[in-house]
Amino acid sequence: MNIITPKNLSGFMELVPKEQVLFEKIKQKLEETYRLYGFYPIDTPILERSEILLAKTGGDTEKQIYRFSKGDTDMAMRFDLTVPLAKYVAKNYSELTFPFKRYQIGKVYRGERAQQGRFREFYQADIDIIGDGELSVMNDAEVPSIMYHVFTGLGLQDFTIRLNNRKVLNGLFELYGQSEHATDVMRIIDKLEKIGADNVRAELAELQVSAEAADELLALLGFKGSNEEILEKLRAFAGRSEKLDLGVQELSEVVYYMGKFGVPETNYRIDLTIARGLDYYTGTVYETTFNRHPEIGSICSGGRYDNLAEFYTKKKLPGVGMSIGLTRLFYILNEFEYLNRSLATSADVLMIPMTDDMTAAVEISAKLREAGISTQIYFEKKKFKHKIGYADKLAIPYAIFLGEDEIRDNQVTLKKMFAAEDDAEKQVTVSVEEAIARIRGGLAVRKEAKCIRIPE
Amino acid sequence: MNIITPKNLSGFMELVPKEQVLFEKIKQKLEETYRLYGFYPIDTPILERSEILLAKTGGDTEKQIYRFSKGDTDMAMRFDLTVPLAKYVAKNYSELTFPFKRYQIGKVYRGERAQQGRFREFYQADIDIIGDGELSVMNDAEVPSIMYHVFTGLGLQDFTIRLNNRKVLNGLFELYGQSEHATDVMRIIDKLEKIGADNVRAELAELQVSAEAADELLALLGFKGSNEEILEKLRAFAGRSEKLDLGVQELSEVVYYMGKFGVPETNYRIDLTIARGLDYYTGTVYETTFNRHPEIGSICSGGRYDNLAEFYTKKKLPGVGMSIGLTRLFYILNEFEYLNRSLATSADVLMIPMTDDMTAAVEISAKLREAGISTQIYFEKKKFKHKIGYADKLAIPYAIFLGEDEIRDNQVTLKKMFAAEDDAEKQVTVSVEEAIARIRGGLAVRKEAKCIRIPE
């Protein structure tokens, strides 16, 4: 038979099992955390009508999209989870209760030029809270706080959630007479970190922003200080622009309540240079940087918007959300060797029967599983070395040997696969109940272990 | 602005939140059970090269597939999880440890004519065990036993896993001189339940099967009895066909060990009429029927095959697996109103602050979440009726009211949302610790509840 070389399309991540199991653990931790805050899961089709996905056209989206026809239907693969959310909320409006809190973790598609660390199929993990007509700014404090708990729950500590508010920026531009091209100014400011102050000044000059105004703006926006110090600087403008005052008020509330949500001051800070290019955002905006790797850019971003679904409904649906590029994050963690590979196993116990009759092995394994212990039985007729090597390769923490003696005595031989050489209890022959108790004790320690482990 | 009506492609299931949350619970139960038996998760791309997906061509597959080109790449959306598994195992062979046990729950695509209960995008939930060169028949007993535990874990009791073995059928056809067109005979036999004995006889006659042979075969294959009685009938042929003897031996082992795996005799039975049309299967085959709804056909099927990946590698990789059509199963359970809707909630507690300052609400909610209680805070400024109505609509079992008095006294008012009228503890004002204890008690009861609830 003709053999076809089994290869994937480029830009499509496919993990080997010991990586996949960690990816799943991370995904579960996200879901678990989102649910802890009362978010509903949703799941939308990967294929949608092109007219739905491309309602808001422009930019690179159309070039990158996977679009095709079948019969007389023009369809495309989703390129983010925001457009499907907008469609979902407009379509199911009468079935939803607002504020509507939803998470969605799903694959999205972008036919970009493939390059290292860039994916054409990748998971996004989004949370959004959608209001009907209005939505309290408290939600703007809750959303990044949830992300804080997601990252620390995974074992990541060394990150900063950076906050800004578009009303603050717009208010300042008003004061500096730049309202007309606020969006352009914002786009330029947004590049501050990337291109440096001089280039920003040059680009602003092209927009006829005076050198003096540019300097004042850059000094203010680039000011480094505690959240309270930055808020103090902004409060000095009080009474001069309604928009600015409102923005400062919102930013103050977000900063105050994030603390109450349990986010330590060291993990979030106001950064007035963050604008999030998209026109879409109207209030709070967020980016999240990995302190020791600023070069990888934001690992979790989002913000507040006034109108989620204007292309699909006349209802005003404001919302706030953040998104994690999960596939890219996983890729980076894997590259940096920050994943806790000791958790990458298929089972807690490998049951190794030493007799031809498997009855006892099957029955004892059932007891282990009833006790919540994941148990795989090695059924194949292989040499002992091969069987124990299997547990070793799969990083299974416990092996149980079940020979004629054990079966006769109603016992099992329990071996800790990765015990220290001098561990006196490395291998013991005990009753099934005692084995279960010992395994559970060992697993409880493992359960505390986080998916991400960053060396000091 | 021009409004585009938000609608989906037909044949694409999209659930409202209270349905989606149940779908997710079912999916989680599946994953949890698969993991309990030592299965690794894998995740393969939804898009693959067409030459990979269509390596084994023919049938309706090619017509139904979503296939398109981008640049000069000819690609298609996967139509099952078996072909991607074959590619995965061949591609990652050197990274895998055999027997390789994997589960995959993912969306697959078939551009079929849309009709009620038929989906173009649907989830399959597959488990397979792949051996390198050989694979013990014990795995044939384990796989359906896992599915038994999946279904009963979901709350479904009233189902039958039907077993057969292709070697038994082929051996019998050999004895009846039908080896040449065994596949055709098998296809006809497979239709017995659908078209009836007379039509089967007529079709067999077209293949030149004598009326006498057809009658004998049908009497044997259609014989109703206990598993042991059927095995006895088959053992009467011992020594006449090696293939038959081997098949009977395998079937006996599977029947014996399924019992040891904890499957009650009432939930599985040998059915010699099951052939599973595909040429692909070579030993044990399975179908699963919902006893009170035989009309919906098999909800979980599969079998043993000799060669998983012959199109992608010269390695011989035998395996055994079963697959649940999850989207269709969910659709059916929903239509029959067998889903336990009381579990369809976004959170355990709705925290309702009665003051403008949200500090206490945020801090107490953090304590609840630390105790593992999913807690949503109602932040919007609405009338009390509206707030409590929110908990009611979302089926949230507990509400906490937090007014000035409670905050001053370090207490909360805890209300059971769905308590009986005469429940004296329907609403109590207690300490946060006491509230947590009460909520945990109530949730423990809910946690026992199954996703599927079938009225007697």
Side-chain angles (χ1 to χ4, degrees), chain B residues 127-153:
Chain B
I127 55 173
D128 284 87
I129 306 174
I130 312 297
D132 188 7
E134 51 188 2
L135 185 72
S136 160
V137 74
M138 285 302 300
N139 296 287
D140 298 44
E142 188 182 56
V143 164
S145 305
I146 296 170
M147 291 304 195
Y148 165 81
H149 289 290
V150 161
F151 287 123
T152 52

PDB file of all heavy atoms in Angstrom, chain B residues 127-153:
ATOM      1  N   ILE B 127     -12.759   6.789  22.802  1.00  0.00           N
ATOM      2  CA  ILE B 127     -11.597   6.220  23.481  1.00  0.00           C
ATOM      3  C   ILE B 127     -11.067   5.080  22.614  1.00  0.00           C
ATOM      4  O   ILE B 127     -11.835   4.355  21.980  1.00  0.00           O
ATOM      5  CB  ILE B 127     -11.901   5.684  24.905  1.00  0.00           C
ATOM      6  CG1 ILE B 127     -13.044   4.661  24.907  1.00  0.00           C
ATOM      7  CG2 ILE B 127     -12.202   6.808  25.858  1.00  0.00           C
ATOM      8  CD1 ILE B 127     -13.232   4.000  26.276  1.00  0.00           C
ATOM      9  N   ASP B 128      -9.761   4.957  22.581  1.00  0.00           N
ATOM     10  CA  ASP B 128      -9.120   3.858  21.858  1.00  0.00           C
ATOM     11  C   ASP B 128      -7.874   3.439  22.621  1.00  0.00           C
ATOM     12  O   ASP B 128      -7.243   4.254  23.289  1.00  0.00           O
ATOM     13  CB  ASP B 128      -8.704   4.307  20.448  1.00  0.00           C
ATOM     14  CG  ASP B 128      -9.883   4.391  19.488  1.00  0.00           C
ATOM     15  OD1 ASP B 128     -10.523   5.457  19.446  1.00  0.00           O
ATOM     16  OD2 ASP B 128     -10.169   3.404  18.804  1.00  0.00           O
ATOM     17  N   ILE B 129      -7.556   2.163  22.490  1.00  0.00           N
ATOM     18  CA  ILE B 129      -6.307   1.632  23.042  1.00  0.00           C
ATOM     19  C   ILE B 129      -5.559   1.016  21.871  1.00  0.00           C
ATOM     20  O   ILE B 129      -6.101   0.153  21.172  1.00  0.00           O
ATOM     21  CB  ILE B 129      -6.578   0.558  24.120  1.00  0.00           C
ATOM     22  CG1 ILE B 129      -7.517   1.114  25.199  1.00  0.00           C
ATOM     23  CG2 ILE B 129      -5.254   0.065  24.724  1.00  0.00           C
ATOM     24  CD1 ILE B 129      -7.952   0.080  26.233  1.00  0.00           C
ATOM     25  N   ILE B 130      -4.341   1.491  21.642  1.00  0.00           N
ATOM     26  CA  ILE B 130      -3.588   1.056  20.474  1.00  0.00           C
ATOM     27  C   ILE B 130      -2.361   0.276  20.934  1.00  0.00           C
ATOM     28  O   ILE B 130      -1.610   0.736  21.792  1.00  0.00           O
ATOM     29  CB  ILE B 130      -3.092   2.276  19.656  1.00  0.00           C
ATOM     30  CG1 ILE B 130      -4.223   3.286  19.428  1.00  0.00           C
ATOM     31  CG2 ILE B 130      -2.473   1.829  18.325  1.00  0.00           C
ATOM     32  CD1 ILE B 130      -5.375   2.779  18.628  1.00  0.00           C
ATOM     33  N   GLY B 131      -2.188  -0.887  20.358  1.00  0.00           N
ATOM     34  CA  GLY B 131      -1.012  -1.683  20.681  1.00  0.00           C
ATOM     35  C   GLY B 131       0.049  -1.566  19.589  1.00  0.00           C
ATOM     36  O   GLY B 131      -0.248  -1.136  18.474  1.00  0.00           O
ATOM     37  N   ASP B 132       1.260  -1.934  19.921  1.00  0.00           N
ATOM     38  CA  ASP B 132       2.340  -1.935  18.935  1.00  0.00           C
ATOM     39  C   ASP B 132       2.585  -3.393  18.553  1.00  0.00           C
ATOM     40  O   ASP B 132       3.225  -4.131  19.288  1.00  0.00           O
ATOM     41  CB  ASP B 132       3.593  -1.312  19.571  1.00  0.00           C
ATOM     42  CG  ASP B 132       4.691  -1.105  18.542  1.00  0.00           C
ATOM     43  OD1 ASP B 132       4.425  -1.310  17.336  1.00  0.00           O
ATOM     44  OD2 ASP B 132       5.803  -0.724  18.945  1.00  0.00           O
ATOM     45  N   GLY B 133       2.015  -3.814  17.422  1.00  0.00           N
ATOM     46  CA  GLY B 133       2.178  -5.202  16.980  1.00  0.00           C
ATOM     47  C   GLY B 133       1.094  -6.121  17.501  1.00  0.00           C
ATOM     48  O   GLY B 133       0.520  -6.896  16.766  1.00  0.00           O
ATOM     49  N   GLU B 134       0.804  -6.021  18.814  1.00  0.00           N
ATOM     50  CA  GLU B 134      -0.247  -6.880  19.384  1.00  0.00           C
ATOM     51  C   GLU B 134      -0.930  -6.145  20.527  1.00  0.00           C
ATOM     52  O   GLU B 134      -0.415  -5.145  21.038  1.00  0.00           O
ATOM     53  CB  GLU B 134       0.347  -8.200  19.863  1.00  0.00           C
ATOM     54  CG  GLU B 134       1.543  -7.993  20.775  1.00  0.00           C
ATOM     55  CD  GLU B 134       2.257  -9.293  21.103  1.00  0.00           C
ATOM     56  OE1 GLU B 134       1.857 -10.352  20.603  1.00  0.00           O
ATOM     57  OE2 GLU B 134       3.224  -9.233  21.885  1.00  0.00           O
ATOM     58  N   LEU B 135      -2.083  -6.663  20.906  1.00  0.00           N
ATOM     59  CA  LEU B 135      -2.863  -6.012  21.963  1.00  0.00           C
ATOM     60  C   LEU B 135      -3.778  -7.054  22.593  1.00  0.00           C
ATOM     61  O   LEU B 135      -4.573  -7.691  21.911  1.00  0.00           O
ATOM     62  CB  LEU B 135      -3.696  -4.862  21.379  1.00  0.00           C
ATOM     63  CG  LEU B 135      -4.475  -4.030  22.398  1.00  0.00           C
ATOM     64  CD1 LEU B 135      -3.523  -3.144  23.212  1.00  0.00           C
ATOM     65  CD2 LEU B 135      -5.508  -3.149  21.703  1.00  0.00           C
ATOM     66  N   SER B 136      -3.690  -7.201  23.898  1.00  0.00           N
ATOM     67  CA  SER B 136      -4.454  -8.221  24.614  1.00  0.00           C
ATOM     68  C   SER B 136      -5.963  -8.015  24.461  1.00  0.00           C
ATOM     69  O   SER B 136      -6.449  -6.886  24.404  1.00  0.00           O
ATOM     70  CB  SER B 136      -4.083  -8.164  26.107  1.00  0.00           C
ATOM     71  OG  SER B 136      -5.078  -8.773  26.885  1.00  0.00           O
ATOM     72  N   VAL B 137      -6.684  -9.128  24.439  1.00  0.00           N
ATOM     73  CA  VAL B 137      -8.152  -9.057  24.325  1.00  0.00           C
ATOM     74  C   VAL B 137      -8.778  -8.499  25.610  1.00  0.00           C
ATOM     75  O   VAL B 137      -9.940  -8.093  25.618  1.00  0.00           O
ATOM     76  CB  VAL B 137      -8.733 -10.449  23.945  1.00  0.00           C
ATOM     77  CG1 VAL B 137      -8.691 -11.395  25.141  1.00  0.00           C
ATOM     78  CG2 VAL B 137     -10.148 -10.313  23.399  1.00  0.00           C
ATOM     79  N   MET B 138      -8.002  -8.421  26.681  1.00  0.00           N
ATOM     80  CA  MET B 138      -8.491  -7.791  27.915  1.00  0.00           C
ATOM     81  C   MET B 138      -8.973  -6.365  27.639  1.00  0.00           C
ATOM     82  O   MET B 138      -9.895  -5.882  28.273  1.00  0.00           O
ATOM     83  CB  MET B 138      -7.358  -7.732  28.962  1.00  0.00           C
ATOM     84  CG  MET B 138      -7.019  -9.033  29.638  1.00  0.00           C
ATOM     85  SD  MET B 138      -8.417  -9.790  30.489  1.00  0.00           S
ATOM     86  CE  MET B 138      -8.830  -8.511  31.686  1.00  0.00           C
ATOM     87  N   ASN B 139      -8.284  -5.724  26.705  1.00  0.00           N
ATOM     88  CA  ASN B 139      -8.679  -4.358  26.358  1.00  0.00           C
ATOM     89  C   ASN B 139     -10.068  -4.314  25.746  1.00  0.00           C
ATOM     90  O   ASN B 139     -10.786  -3.330  25.891  1.00  0.00           O
ATOM     91  CB  ASN B 139      -7.656  -3.748  25.395  1.00  0.00           C
ATOM     92  CG  ASN B 139      -6.291  -3.605  26.039  1.00  0.00           C
ATOM     93  OD1 ASN B 139      -6.098  -2.737  26.879  1.00  0.00           O
ATOM     94  ND2 ASN B 139      -5.359  -4.477  25.667  1.00  0.00           N
ATOM     95  N   ASP B 140     -10.444  -5.408  25.079  1.00  0.00           N
ATOM     96  CA  ASP B 140     -11.787  -5.482  24.485  1.00  0.00           C
ATOM     97  C   ASP B 140     -12.857  -5.557  25.567  1.00  0.00           C
ATOM     98  O   ASP B 140     -14.013  -5.222  25.330  1.00  0.00           O
ATOM     99  CB  ASP B 140     -11.914  -6.723  23.587  1.00  0.00           C
ATOM    100  CG  ASP B 140     -10.961  -6.713  22.412  1.00  0.00           C
ATOM    101  OD1 ASP B 140      -9.781  -6.373  22.612  1.00  0.00           O
ATOM    102  OD2 ASP B 140     -11.398  -7.037  21.291  1.00  0.00           O
ATOM    103  N   ALA B 141     -12.466  -6.055  26.737  1.00  0.00           N
ATOM    104  CA  ALA B 141     -13.409  -6.101  27.863  1.00  0.00           C
ATOM    105  C   ALA B 141     -13.418  -4.761  28.595  1.00  0.00           C
ATOM    106  O   ALA B 141     -14.446  -4.321  29.100  1.00  0.00           O
ATOM    107  CB  ALA B 141     -13.036  -7.223  28.827  1.00  0.00           C
ATOM    108  N   GLU B 142     -12.256  -4.119  28.645  1.00  0.00           N
ATOM    109  CA  GLU B 142     -12.173  -2.871  29.402  1.00  0.00           C
ATOM    110  C   GLU B 142     -12.940  -1.734  28.736  1.00  0.00           C
ATOM    111  O   GLU B 142     -13.660  -0.979  29.413  1.00  0.00           O
ATOM    112  CB  GLU B 142     -10.701  -2.457  29.603  1.00  0.00           C
ATOM    113  CG  GLU B 142     -10.584  -1.277  30.547  1.00  0.00           C
ATOM    114  CD  GLU B 142      -9.169  -0.778  30.753  1.00  0.00           C
ATOM    115  OE1 GLU B 142      -8.483  -0.446  29.763  1.00  0.00           O
ATOM    116  OE2 GLU B 142      -8.733  -0.711  31.906  1.00  0.00           O
ATOM    117  N   VAL B 143     -12.788  -1.606  27.434  1.00  0.00           N
ATOM    118  CA  VAL B 143     -13.377  -0.453  26.741  1.00  0.00           C
ATOM    119  C   VAL B 143     -14.895  -0.341  26.958  1.00  0.00           C
ATOM    120  O   VAL B 143     -15.380   0.712  27.380  1.00  0.00           O
ATOM    121  CB  VAL B 143     -12.970  -0.451  25.242  1.00  0.00           C
ATOM    122  CG1 VAL B 143     -13.853   0.472  24.429  1.00  0.00           C
ATOM    123  CG2 VAL B 143     -11.504  -0.045  25.104  1.00  0.00           C
ATOM    124  N   PRO B 144     -15.686  -1.400  26.717  1.00  0.00           N
ATOM    125  CA  PRO B 144     -17.126  -1.245  26.960  1.00  0.00           C
ATOM    126  C   PRO B 144     -17.453  -1.067  28.444  1.00  0.00           C
ATOM    127  O   PRO B 144     -18.458  -0.439  28.791  1.00  0.00           O
ATOM    128  CB  PRO B 144     -17.734  -2.545  26.402  1.00  0.00           C
ATOM    129  CG  PRO B 144     -16.604  -3.523  26.401  1.00  0.00           C
ATOM    130  CD  PRO B 144     -15.362  -2.719  26.153  1.00  0.00           C
ATOM    131  N   SER B 145     -16.595  -1.613  29.312  1.00  0.00           N
ATOM    132  CA  SER B 145     -16.837  -1.446  30.750  1.00  0.00           C
ATOM    133  C   SER B 145     -16.692   0.017  31.142  1.00  0.00           C
ATOM    134  O   SER B 145     -17.438   0.530  31.981  1.00  0.00           O
ATOM    135  CB  SER B 145     -15.854  -2.302  31.558  1.00  0.00           C
ATOM    136  OG  SER B 145     -15.939  -3.655  31.150  1.00  0.00           O
ATOM    137  N   ILE B 146     -15.737   0.697  30.529  1.00  0.00           N
ATOM    138  CA  ILE B 146     -15.577   2.130  30.792  1.00  0.00           C
ATOM    139  C   ILE B 146     -16.837   2.862  30.345  1.00  0.00           C
ATOM    140  O   ILE B 146     -17.354   3.736  31.039  1.00  0.00           O
ATOM    141  CB  ILE B 146     -14.331   2.674  30.052  1.00  0.00           C
ATOM    142  CG1 ILE B 146     -13.071   2.010  30.610  1.00  0.00           C
ATOM    143  CG2 ILE B 146     -14.252   4.185  30.174  1.00  0.00           C
ATOM    144  CD1 ILE B 146     -11.813   2.281  29.800  1.00  0.00           C
ATOM    145  N   MET B 147     -17.344   2.489  29.178  1.00  0.00           N
ATOM    146  CA  MET B 147     -18.544   3.150  28.682  1.00  0.00           C
ATOM    147  C   MET B 147     -19.739   2.882  29.610  1.00  0.00           C
ATOM    148  O   MET B 147     -20.567   3.764  29.819  1.00  0.00           O
ATOM    149  CB  MET B 147     -18.851   2.709  27.247  1.00  0.00           C
ATOM    150  CG  MET B 147     -17.827   3.240  26.245  1.00  0.00           C
ATOM    151  SD  MET B 147     -17.668   5.065  26.281  1.00  0.00           S
ATOM    152  CE  MET B 147     -16.779   5.359  24.739  1.00  0.00           C
ATOM    153  N   TYR B 148     -19.788   1.684  30.155  1.00  0.00           N
ATOM    154  CA  TYR B 148     -20.841   1.400  31.150  1.00  0.00           C
ATOM    155  C   TYR B 148     -20.733   2.396  32.304  1.00  0.00           C
ATOM    156  O   TYR B 148     -21.729   2.987  32.731  1.00  0.00           O
ATOM    157  CB  TYR B 148     -20.723  -0.038  31.673  1.00  0.00           C
ATOM    158  CG  TYR B 148     -21.526  -0.260  32.932  1.00  0.00           C
ATOM    159  CD1 TYR B 148     -22.904  -0.498  32.869  1.00  0.00           C
ATOM    160  CD2 TYR B 148     -20.924  -0.179  34.189  1.00  0.00           C
ATOM    161  CE1 TYR B 148     -23.647  -0.650  34.024  1.00  0.00           C
ATOM    162  CE2 TYR B 148     -21.665  -0.335  35.347  1.00  0.00           C
ATOM    163  CZ  TYR B 148     -23.021  -0.564  35.260  1.00  0.00           C
ATOM    164  OH  TYR B 148     -23.767  -0.700  36.410  1.00  0.00           O
ATOM    165  N   HIS B 149     -19.517   2.599  32.811  1.00  0.00           N
ATOM    166  CA  HIS B 149     -19.347   3.510  33.945  1.00  0.00           C
ATOM    167  C   HIS B 149     -19.605   4.966  33.541  1.00  0.00           C
ATOM    168  O   HIS B 149     -20.074   5.758  34.350  1.00  0.00           O
ATOM    169  CB  HIS B 149     -17.959   3.327  34.565  1.00  0.00           C
ATOM    170  CG  HIS B 149     -17.823   2.018  35.292  1.00  0.00           C
ATOM    171  ND1 HIS B 149     -18.477   1.767  36.479  1.00  0.00           N
ATOM    172  CD2 HIS B 149     -17.158   0.882  34.987  1.00  0.00           C
ATOM    173  CE1 HIS B 149     -18.194   0.523  36.881  1.00  0.00           C
ATOM    174  NE2 HIS B 149     -17.401  -0.030  35.992  1.00  0.00           N
ATOM    175  N   VAL B 150     -19.327   5.300  32.310  1.00  0.00           N
ATOM    176  CA  VAL B 150     -19.657   6.645  31.817  1.00  0.00           C
ATOM    177  C   VAL B 150     -21.173   6.859  31.887  1.00  0.00           C
ATOM    178  O   VAL B 150     -21.650   7.835  32.464  1.00  0.00           O
ATOM    179  CB  VAL B 150     -19.165   6.832  30.355  1.00  0.00           C
ATOM    180  CG1 VAL B 150     -19.886   8.000  29.678  1.00  0.00           C
ATOM    181  CG2 VAL B 150     -17.661   7.059  30.327  1.00  0.00           C
ATOM    182  N   PHE B 151     -21.907   5.937  31.319  1.00  0.00           N
ATOM    183  CA  PHE B 151     -23.359   6.132  31.239  1.00  0.00           C
ATOM    184  C   PHE B 151     -24.015   6.110  32.620  1.00  0.00           C
ATOM    185  O   PHE B 151     -24.866   6.946  32.923  1.00  0.00           O
ATOM    186  CB  PHE B 151     -24.006   5.097  30.304  1.00  0.00           C
ATOM    187  CG  PHE B 151     -23.716   5.359  28.855  1.00  0.00           C
ATOM    188  CD1 PHE B 151     -23.116   4.404  28.056  1.00  0.00           C
ATOM    189  CD2 PHE B 151     -24.047   6.587  28.280  1.00  0.00           C
ATOM    190  CE1 PHE B 151     -22.842   4.656  26.710  1.00  0.00           C
ATOM    191  CE2 PHE B 151     -23.788   6.854  26.938  1.00  0.00           C
ATOM    192  CZ  PHE B 151     -23.173   5.879  26.154  1.00  0.00           C
ATOM    193  N   THR B 152     -23.619   5.153  33.460  1.00  0.00           N
ATOM    194  CA  THR B 152     -24.245   5.116  34.785  1.00  0.00           C
ATOM    195  C   THR B 152     -23.807   6.332  35.604  1.00  0.00           C
ATOM    196  O   THR B 152     -24.595   6.875  36.374  1.00  0.00           O
ATOM    197  CB  THR B 152     -23.908   3.811  35.536  1.00  0.00           C
ATOM    198  OG1 THR B 152     -22.496   3.628  35.530  1.00  0.00           O
ATOM    199  CG2 THR B 152     -24.558   2.612  34.865  1.00  0.00           C
ATOM    200  N   GLY B 153     -22.586   6.800  35.397  1.00  0.00           N
ATOM    201  CA  GLY B 153     -22.131   8.010  36.072  1.00  0.00           C
ATOM    202  C   GLY B 153     -22.958   9.220  35.675  1.00  0.00           C
ATOM    203  O   GLY B 153     -23.124  10.165  36.449  1.00  0.00           O
TER     204      GLY B 153
END
